[in-house]
Amino acid sequence: MASQGRDIVDRNIDRLVPVGRLKYYFAVDTVYVGRKLGLLVFPFMHQDWQVRYQQDAPVAPRFDVNAPDLYIPVMAFITYVLVAGLALGTQNRFSPDSLGLQASSALAWLIVEVLAILLSLYLVTVNTDLTTIDLIAFSGYKYVGMIVGLVSGLLFGKTGYYVVLGWCCISIFVFMVRDRQTLRLKILSEAAAEGVLVRGAKNQLRMYLTMAIAAVQPLFMYWLTYHLIR
C-alpha cells in the first residue's frame, strides 16, 4: 500500500509540476553562473547569442550561457529580499513584517507580469515556444540589476543608486532584445518556422510585444527599489 501510494503521489506531482523539466533549468555550475551574471550586467560586447542544440533539444544551461535558467532568478529574488531588509535596517525601518511585505510584493508583481505576458500572447494570437517557466526565468533576471543598484545606493547614496540602476536597466533591456534565440525568436517562432519574414500587422504586433516585455523590466526595477534608498 505504501508503494502504491508513493507511485500515485509521484504521478500526480509529475502531472502538476514538471519536475523533469525543472531539473533542466537548474542544471548550472559556477562557471555558468559567473558568465551569466556578467552577461546580464555587460551584454554589449557579447556576440554569439545562438542557443546550442543537441538532438533537437537545447543543451543544459551549464553548457550554454545563452540558455535560460531558474537558478539565478530564484537566488536573485532571495538576495533582493535580504538586501531590501538590510537597506531598511540602515534607516531604522526594518521589521519582520516589512521584510515579508517586500517579499510578497515582489512575488505578486512577478506573477502579475507573467500573467500579463501570457494574456498578451493570447490576445495577439501568437504561436510561441515560450513556456511559463521561460517567462519566469526572463522576468527574474531583473533582480540581478536591482541588487546591484541597491548595493550601490547603500555604499554611495542616491547618486550611486541612480547611476548604477540606470546602467542595469539599459543592460537588461539590451539583453532581452538581443537574446533573440530565446525570448525574441520564441515569440517570432511561427515566422521563423516557415523560414520567411511574415510582414504585416501581425508580425508588427509580435515585434512590439517583444519590445514591450524588454521595456517593462526597467520600470519594475525602479518601482521595486526606489523606496528603499533615502
Side-chain angles (χ1 to χ4, degrees):
M1 291 179 62
S3 177
Q4 292 177 356
R6 184 180 61 187
D7 293 339
I8 293 174
V9 170
D10 291 340
R11 285 198 300 270
N12 285 315
I13 289 178
D14 290 337
R15 181 165 57 89
L16 298 175
V17 180
V19 178
R21 184 64 175 166
L22 286 176
K23 289 181 179 179
Y24 165 83
Y25 289 93
F26 285 94
V28 301
D29 56 16
T30 305
V31 175
Y32 169 84
V33 172
R35 294 180 61 193
K36 191 74 168 191
L37 292 176
L39 181 59
L40 290 171
V41 180
F42 301 100
F44 310 100
M45 303 301 295
H46 190 63
Q47 298 296 327
D48 184 12
W49 294 90
Q50 299 287 332
V51 173
R52 300 176 184 175
Y53 282 81
Q54 184 177 17
Q55 297 179 351
D56 296 330
V59 299
R62 64 174 176 268
F63 300 119
D64 184 10
V65 71
N66 295 319
D69 72 284
L70 282 178
Y71 177 81
I72 291 178
V74 170
M75 293 296 103
F77 178 86
I78 296 173
T79 305
Y80 158 74
V81 175
L82 297 177
V83 174
L86 176 62
L88 293 174
T90 59
Q91 304 165 29
N92 296 322
R93 294 192 293 149
F94 175 81
S95 68
D97 291 338
S98 64
L99 193 64
L101 181 62
Q102 292 296 324
S104 59
S105 176
L107 182 60
W109 279 114
L110 178 64
I111 294 173
V112 169
E113 179 185 354
V114 172
L115 291 178
I117 295 174
L118 290 174
L119 178 61
S120 300
L121 291 172
Y122 173 77
L123 292 177
V124 299
T125 61
V126 172
N127 295 325
T128 175
D129 295 332
L130 277 173
T131 65
T132 304
I133 301 178
D134 290 326
L135 294 177
I136 294 174
F138 284 115
S139 300
Y141 284 136
K142 62 176 170 286
Y143 292 110
V144 174
M146 292 162 58
I147 294 168
V148 177
L150 283 176
V151 172
S152 300
L154 292 175
L155 295 176
F156 307 108
K158 295 187 69 173
T159 301
Y161 163 76
Y162 283 114
V163 171
V164 175
L165 185 70
W167 173 273
C168 292
C169 288
I170 296 173
S171 297
I172 194 65
F173 179 83
V174 172
F175 170 82
M176 298 285 278
V177 171
R178 294 188 65 183
D179 201 0
R180 55 187 180 275
Q181 283 297 321
T182 47
L183 177 64
R184 180 173 178 271
L185 184 56
K186 284 186 175 182
I187 291 181
L188 299 175
S189 58
E190 184 180 13
E194 296 175 0
V196 296
L197 180 61
V198 179
R199 301 184 183 276
K202 196 169 184 179
N203 189 54
Q204 289 182 351
L205 283 176
R206 295 191 184 99
M207 186 61 65
Y208 291 154
L209 181 57
T210 304
M211 298 295 293
I213 295 173
V216 78
Q217 304 305 309
L219 299 179
F220 279 114
M221 292 171 67
Y222 176 74
W223 176 257
L224 293 172
T225 56
Y226 80 97
H227 62 283
L228 298 171
I229 300 297
R230 290 186 176 179

